[in-house]
Amino acid sequence: MENEQIKAFYDACQELKGSKIILADAKVSKVLRSIVSSPTLVEIVGDALVGFNLESEMNKCTSVDLEGNQHINLPAEPYRVIALVFSVLTEFDTRKLDLQEFVHQYFSAESLAESFHRFNDEMVDPFCEYLCDWVGFKTKKGEQKNMILDERIQDENDEILEEENEVNSVESLFEDLKIIFNQIKETIKLDTHIKPDRFDDLNITLDALITAIELKNFKILNALLISLNNLLAPIKSVRFYNMELQNRLASFYENYM
């Protein structure tokens, strides 16, 4: 049973790594649930959190390069890494921290997707490996590493095929857009800087866009997207979702239309 619980945690971390950033919130929650479901992991994380302060640790770990970009340099001690990453994931889950803003701030890259990839490589991977090593999940390290390598190669091949299919899939486009529109709705609901009339216009437009998706009506969809873009332009809280929306549409039209 314990080994199954650890494997569930490991699998949840891999799902987070393999997800798109717009879907990552649910994967973060799954990682945290897998920890809570394992008494062994709960005990390790609990011990690591004794006397831990996230703000203080972030100040110690953050550096700034010559270009003014911030970076997180993980502590050398595994238990401090466990406490730091667990706390950050918890902040995402409770929405005290915005995952996309955090990734953009500390793991700058040419695109938000690449920043998310860096976040997973530099924070999620060590966190997962330290916890798994701590409980002896990787008893045969050589075999485990080969297995992980084979899985990654297969996953990368699968992702390439999946992305090629997704780009050419109208259904996939509609699914992604619906997710983005709903995330925008949730975000603006919490943004107190938006004036009531703009808030109402946004909700009406977003509801109409979701209806257009359900009707699979491209003509209405395209007309409403112009209106949505104008409404979202001055709103900082949704800039990452708007960026993802524009990138998704550009990929679709470039490869499909």
Side-chain angles (χ1 to χ4, degrees):
M1 174 65 75
E2 181 179 312
N3 199 56
E4 291 177 2
Q5 292 171 339
I6 306 303
K7 188 176 185 306
F9 162 72
Y10 173 81
D11 290 343
C13 290
Q14 303 315 301
E15 285 186 30
L16 173 58
K17 287 185 60 183
S19 72
K20 296 179 180 179
I21 192 166
I22 61 170
L23 305 175
D25 288 339
K27 303 302 181 182
V28 167
S29 297
K30 188 171 182 179
V31 171
L32 295 175
R33 287 199 306 271
S34 70
I35 293 172
V36 173
S37 299
S38 168
T40 302
L41 293 180
V42 167
E43 183 178 356
I44 295 169
V45 173
D47 289 343
L49 288 170
V50 173
F52 178 83
N53 180 276
L54 178 58
E55 183 178 356
S56 174
E57 193 68 39
M58 284 292 293
N59 288 334
K60 293 177 187 176
C61 295
T62 302
S63 61
V64 182
D65 64 23
L66 295 175
E67 297 178 353
N69 298 315
Q70 292 182 299
H71 303 277
I72 293 178
N73 307 299
L74 291 184
E77 300 90 344
Y79 74 91
R80 288 175 62 198
V81 174
I82 290 170
L84 173 64
V85 179
F86 177 83
S87 298
V88 168
L89 294 179
T90 301
E91 294 288 292
F92 294 154
D93 194 47
T94 56
R95 297 189 178 277
K96 292 179 181 177
L97 278 178
D98 184 89
L99 188 152
Q100 296 195 25
E101 289 185 1
F102 182 89
V103 166
H104 178 72
Q105 180 176 354
Y106 294 107
F107 300 92
S108 59
E110 291 185 4
S111 69
L112 193 57
E114 290 178 32
S115 295
F116 184 55
H117 182 74
R118 280 193 57 203
F119 164 75
N120 282 303
D121 279 353
E122 297 175 31
M123 287 194 78
V124 175
D125 262 352
F127 172 68
C128 180
E129 289 171 10
Y130 283 144
L131 273 175
C132 288
D133 285 343
W134 206 306
V135 298
F137 180 66
K138 301 176 187 177
T139 53
K140 298 179 180 179
K141 291 190 176 182
E143 292 181 14
Q144 183 72 16
K145 285 180 180 178
N146 287 336
M147 182 183 72
I148 293 172
L149 181 60
D150 290 340
E151 286 178 351
R152 284 180 178 171
I153 292 171
Q154 184 60 49
D155 287 345
E156 287 172 1
N157 291 336
D158 290 343
E159 284 175 6
I160 290 170
L161 290 173
E162 183 181 347
E163 286 173 2
E164 290 175 351
N165 290 333
E166 284 181 348
V167 166
N168 295 317
S169 168
V170 176
E171 289 297 326
S172 175
L173 173 70
F174 285 155
E175 288 175 10
D176 288 349
L177 293 184
K178 191 170 183 179
I179 290 169
I180 296 171
F181 294 150
N182 281 314
Q183 287 176 324
I184 292 173
K185 287 191 71 172
E186 289 300 313
T187 302
I188 63 173
K189 191 187 298 182
L190 302 173
D191 191 338
T192 56
H193 296 96
I194 301 174
K195 294 181 179 179
D197 57 341
R198 183 174 291 268
F199 178 80
D200 291 340
D201 289 343
L202 275 165
N203 273 308
I204 291 169
T205 304
L206 288 163
D207 286 341
L209 279 162
I210 292 171
T211 300
I213 287 173
E214 291 169 353
L215 295 173
K216 299 182 180 180
N217 191 316
F218 258 112
K219 197 170 185 179
I220 295 175
L221 182 70
N222 287 329
L224 289 169
L225 282 169
I226 296 171
S227 176
L228 179 67
N229 191 46
N230 292 331
L231 289 168
L232 293 180
I235 302 175
K236 293 182 179 180
S237 62
V238 294
R239 63 186 182 278
F240 292 122
Y241 292 125
N242 196 22
M243 187 188 307
E244 184 68 27
L245 172 62
Q246 302 308 320
N247 289 340
R248 185 65 181 91
L249 288 167
S251 295
F252 176 79
Y253 285 116
E254 179 182 347
N255 292 279
Y256 187 74
M257 299 302 284

